[in-house]
Amino acid sequence: MKIAILDDYQEVALGFGDWDSLGADVKVFTEPFADPAEVVARLRDFDVVVAMRERTRFSAEVLDRLPALELLVSTGHRNAAIDVAAARRNGVVVCSTGYIAAPAAEHTWALILAAARNVPEESRNMREGGWQTTVGTILAGKTLGLLGLGRLGAGAAKIGQAFGMETIAWSQNLTQEKAAPHGVTAVSKDELFARADVLSVHLVLGDRSRGLVGAPELAAMKPTAILVNTSRGPIVDEAALVDALRRKEIAIAALDVYDVEPLPSEHPLRTLDNVVLTPHIGYVTRETYEIFYRDAVEDIAAFQAGSPVRVME
């Protein structure tokens, strides 16, 4: 059996799972593939592929051209980058792994605090021999606006309340009855953007959420506001966000996700002085990787034994 482990950017996958127990030929890919043609060319001979979250897309076009593929393991519970129906049509079993939500909620707050207190700039100043150059803002008494109040949004709300923030939220189906148990007030979309001192995105990417935060929403925000996105890049219109940041329509954006990942080296977001950027590491923790790669090995072993587990439907 030939196994490909994809997008191991940090070169740590082999240390988080007992791959030797599978008695297979395991190859690790540490760089992203440029396009679907490269995905097909590099993976054509593999029986099993272990995909890290949504870093590599497995469309019908790709899956139709991987005749050797029998098992596709995705880390996490779901993977919007995999066409599961096309996999099934090609006789490919798709399995998932366990996941923990806490790291993403924690990283949301790492970004919020970094943005509010100018941590990246002040850290850089210290390393360069400087001292105080910025004036931060407190969070206590401010309003945290949550775009989405699912498991991650509710977790972010709880932390915001611990900081003494008022918490409000909006999503298409959110009601006050659903928000109240979390100590959150459900508001209209217009009110969310107008009132939020910190606006944090916690929606699943889909047809209704793609581009949901566009130029009108950004223009409605306070000029002192912080926009945080640890969900999915395309929920925020990236061109509109760059324009708003250049115009200082909002104070700062703190981002962990982007339209194209890895973020191109020449991307304009990298040139702005009012952004905090991290490379989609909200879920990248030792504890998460232990679950991902342990479960991936279990998935492959179960498949070898003829009894697949955690099969995606």
Side-chain angles (χ1 to χ4, degrees), residues 12-303:
V12 296
L14 295 181
F16 281 108
D18 185 10
W19 301 97
D20 290 342
S21 67
L22 299 172
D25 177 10
V26 180
K27 179 175 176 57
V28 177
F29 293 87
T30 60
E31 299 291 334
F33 300 131
D35 52 38
E38 186 180 0
V39 176
V40 171
R42 301 293 293 276
L43 300 182
R44 186 185 303 276
D45 298 328
F46 286 92
D47 308 290
V48 178
V49 170
V50 178
M52 172 55 75
R53 299 279 285 167
E54 295 169 7
R55 293 177 183 174
T56 296
R57 183 164 297 279
F58 287 89
S59 63
E61 173 194 3
V62 169
L63 290 163
D64 289 345
R65 298 164 63 193
L66 294 176
L69 186 63
E70 299 179 42
L71 175 65
L72 178 54
V73 177
S74 170
T75 58
H77 293 313
R78 60 174 179 260
N79 190 330
I82 296 175
D83 187 331
V84 177
R88 190 181 302 116
R89 187 179 70 247
N90 281 280
V92 178
V93 177
V94 183
C95 294
S96 64
T97 72
Y99 181 73
I100 48 177
E106 291 176 3
H107 191 66
T108 295
W109 280 92
L111 288 176
I112 292 172
L113 291 168
R117 301 305 293 270
N118 304 301
V119 171
E121 182 173 347
E122 293 293 8
S123 177
R124 183 171 59 252
N125 291 339
M126 290 291 288
R127 292 179 181 276
E128 294 173 353
W131 197 237
Q132 298 177 9
T133 61
T134 67
V135 178
T137 185
I138 67 169
L139 299 174
K142 301 291 178 63
T143 298
L144 171 65
L146 299 158
L147 190 59
L149 194 64
R151 181 174 53 178
L152 294 177
K158 185 175 181 180
I159 299 172
Q161 291 156 4
F163 275 99
M165 301 185 77
E166 180 183 4
T167 50
I168 62 175
W170 174 86
S171 67
Q172 284 93 339
N173 298 317
L174 183 65
T175 64
Q176 189 53 50
E177 289 72 24
K178 293 178 181 178
H182 303 291
V184 176
T185 301
V187 298
S188 68
K189 180 182 174 184
D190 289 346
E191 187 176 353
L192 180 81
F193 283 92
R195 288 181 55 190
D197 295 295
V198 177
L199 192 142
S200 189
V201 179
H202 297 285
L203 294 173
V204 174
L205 179 62
D207 292 339
R208 293 194 303 173
S209 62
R210 187 178 299 273
L212 186 62
V213 182
E217 289 76 20
L218 294 165
M221 294 177 69
K222 299 176 182 179
T224 54
I226 299 169
L227 173 69
V228 184
N229 189 4
T230 57
S231 183
R232 289 294 182 270
I235 295 172
V236 179
D237 183 328
E238 203 163 77
L241 176 60
V242 169
D243 185 60
L245 289 167
R246 284 173 171 162
R247 294 171 179 270
K248 310 297 184 184
E249 288 182 350
I250 62 174
I252 190 168
L255 309 172
D256 188 47
V257 290
Y258 311 92
D259 283 5
V260 176
E261 298 181 0
L263 187 68
S265 59
E266 71 282 1
H267 196 283
L269 281 170
R270 294 184 184 266
T271 69
L272 300 175
D273 60 5
N274 54 344
V275 292
V276 177
L277 305 176
T278 55
H280 203 158
I281 56 172
Y283 66 94
V284 180
T285 65
R286 176 171 297 278
E287 292 81 2
T288 305
Y289 274 23
E290 285 172 349
I291 292 172
F292 281 178
Y293 290 121
R294 178 201 66 204
D295 287 1
V297 170
E298 289 182 0
D299 287 350
I300 298 168
F303 179 81

